[in-house]
Amino acid sequence: SAVISQKPSRDICQRGTSLTIQCQVDSQVTMMFWYRQQPGQSLTLIATANQGSEATYESGFVIDKFPISRPNLTFSTLTVSNMSPEDSSIYLCSGGDRLVDTEAFFGQGTRLTVV
Amino acid sequence: AQSVTQLGSHVSVSEGALVLLRCNYSSSVPPYLFWYVQYPNQGLQLLLKYTSAATLVKGINGFEAEFKKSETSFHLTKPSAHMSDAAEYFCAVWGTGNQFYFGTGTSLTVIP
């Protein structure tokens, strides 16, 4: 099974600033995903991070707000740009290979508070 | 399109009692179904998964789930609840667009 290290684990940020969240996988994975989990709610997929190409964003999420990098098969970053209090949430990265037959592995999450 | 519905956003059981968390799915193709657990301030951990093999799936920590096609259900059970089982549980289906579709989650409280 893969282990995903996500950092920072939490942060308190000023509105208007940006925060970059990093995820490092201990093995190569084909697919990586970024989710947002608002308080008391389920996971909402932000985007699929594609190695060597632009991320694929879900409806309601745009690259200017959530730029994503995936320089190789073990690493990805998500930036939350020009933050507002509405961006306060938990952000989770996930990755896996042959996801239909295995499972997705999750990072520990980043708890973001925007003040 | 795929989706899952978790009935009951909060479930409370006494320690030692049966745990039953309900999940119904909607899928136009044979589904791949998962249960994940999230402990406070942590990421998601896989409990078990169904990928068209045995319909009764055993997972970690004594949990199991039964895939019932006729009922489009994949309920999670554990015979005897432990205090350490208190957490948020998510049912998920793997679907179109190569992504997971998560349920809204069920918060399990275990009463001593």
Side-chain angles (χ1 to χ4, degrees):
Chain A
S1 61
V3 175
I4 299 181
S5 300
Q6 182 175 343
K7 62 180 180 181
S9 59
R10 59 178 61 230
D11 208 341
I12 301 174
C13 300
Q14 297 291 323
R15 67 176 66 202
T17 63
S18 298
L19 175 71
T20 296
I21 303 168
Q22 299 181 1
C23 271
Q24 178 74 53
V25 191
D26 67 349
S27 60
Q28 292 186 345
V29 292
T30 304
M31 310 182 77
M32 290 190 74
F33 305 92
W34 287 96
Y35 293 88
R36 182 172 70 184
Q37 184 181 23
Q38 295 184 306
Q41 297 188 26
S42 187
L43 282 73
T44 300
L45 181 65
I46 297 172
T48 302
N50 304 308
Q51 193 263 333
S53 64
E54 276 195 4
T56 305
Y57 290 84
E58 297 300 305
S59 175
F61 299 96
V62 295
I63 188 171
D64 290 346
K65 177 67 176 178
F66 298 101
I68 287 171
S69 76
R70 179 101 192 267
N72 55 53
L73 292 177
T74 65
F75 187 77
S76 181
T77 67
L78 168 77
T79 299
V80 186
S81 302
N82 189 24
M83 289 184 285
S84 67
E86 292 70 35
D87 295 319
S88 298
S89 189
I90 297 172
Y91 293 85
L92 290 150
C93 67
S94 170
D97 222 340
R98 295 175 59 241
L99 280 170
V100 168
D101 294 325
T102 59
E103 69 266 18
F105 304 98
F106 284 82
Q108 306 93 320
T110 297
R111 185 178 296 272
L112 171 62
T113 302
V114 183
V115 298
Chain B
Q2 287 79 28
S3 66
V4 292
T5 301
Q6 291 184 241
L7 300 175
S9 58
H10 293 88
V11 171
S12 294
V13 299
S14 298
E15 190 175 16
L18 171 72
V19 176
L20 171 61
L21 305 182
R22 299 178 186 273
C23 174
N24 288 89
Y25 70 90
S26 172
S27 177
S28 57
V29 296
Y32 296 91
L33 295 159
F34 304 80
W35 275 100
Y36 282 87
V37 60
Q38 185 180 34
Y39 297 103
N41 300 314
Q42 296 188 29
L44 274 69
Q45 179 183 3
L46 180 72
L47 275 177
L48 50 81
K49 61 185 178 183
Y50 169 77
T51 57
S52 75
T55 56
L56 182 62
V57 181
K58 294 186 183 299
I60 62 171
N61 301 337
F63 284 93
E64 62 182 38
E66 185 172 9
F67 172 70
K68 291 187 176 181
K69 184 178 179 180
S70 61
E71 298 177 7
T72 61
S73 69
F74 190 57
H75 301 330
L76 181 70
T77 60
K78 181 174 181 178
S80 177
H82 191 273
M83 295 299 294
S84 61
D85 294 327
E88 189 83 16
Y89 292 80
F90 292 96
C91 182
V93 61
W94 177 254
T96 54
N98 283 329
Q99 62 174 277
F100 281 98
Y101 296 85
F102 285 89
T104 51
T106 298
S107 177
L108 176 66
T109 299
V110 182
I111 304 167

